[in-house]
Amino acid sequence: MLRASFWLTAVVFLPLGLLLYFLPATLAGAVGVSPLWLARVCGGILAVWGVFLIASGSTSGQPNAIAVGGLVGANLLSAATLIPAVIRQGETMPPGLRAILLGSAGVLILLAVTALLSFPSRRSRL
């Protein structure tokens, strides 16, 4: 289950990062991204994070505590960034986009909780 959390999170972050990195100027104007270089930097970071998650989920043994902590932290920070932005935009955001963003935040929170619950504790190894 822990590997599935890594892979599913990578499936979210890698395409999103590539989309932001190669975001066309016309789409950036339609979405409302004003500094295009900021979207490219964020896209590069998300794409690299997605590749890291694939590598962490592909390791031969269980992912270590640092990798799981990074997965949980990144998912919760991403959700904590998305939810206030969607709430702040309110009715000005198209309903379909608002549903996609809130759904993505929900999936990221669910994957973070799944990773926390499926990581074996030290007491279970005794």
Side-chain angles (χ1 to χ4, degrees):
M1 191 64 153
L2 187 57
R3 287 186 190 193
S5 294
F6 274 89
W7 279 92
L8 290 174
T9 303
V11 166
V12 171
F13 281 135
L14 191 58
L16 180 64
L18 291 174
L19 173 73
L20 287 174
Y21 189 76
F22 295 110
L23 188 68
T26 57
L27 183 61
V31 175
V33 177
S34 57
L36 194 55
W37 64 268
L38 184 61
R40 298 210 193 283
V41 169
C42 292
I45 291 171
L46 286 178
V48 168
W49 183 251
V51 170
F52 169 75
L53 290 173
I54 289 173
S56 295
S58 300
T59 56
S60 59
Q62 286 284 342
N64 59 10
I66 295 172
V68 173
L71 171 77
V72 171
N75 285 4
L76 293 178
L77 283 173
S78 298
T81 303
L82 284 174
I83 292 172
V86 171
I87 291 172
R88 184 183 68 221
Q89 291 295 323
E91 298 298 322
T92 61
M93 184 178 287
L97 180 61
R98 185 174 49 233
I100 289 171
L101 291 176
L102 287 176
S104 299
V107 166
L108 290 174
I109 291 171
L110 180 67
L111 288 170
V113 170
T114 302
L116 277 176
L117 294 178
S118 63
F119 187 70
S121 67
R122 290 184 186 238
R123 283 184 256 155
S124 68
R125 293 182 191 160
L126 294 176

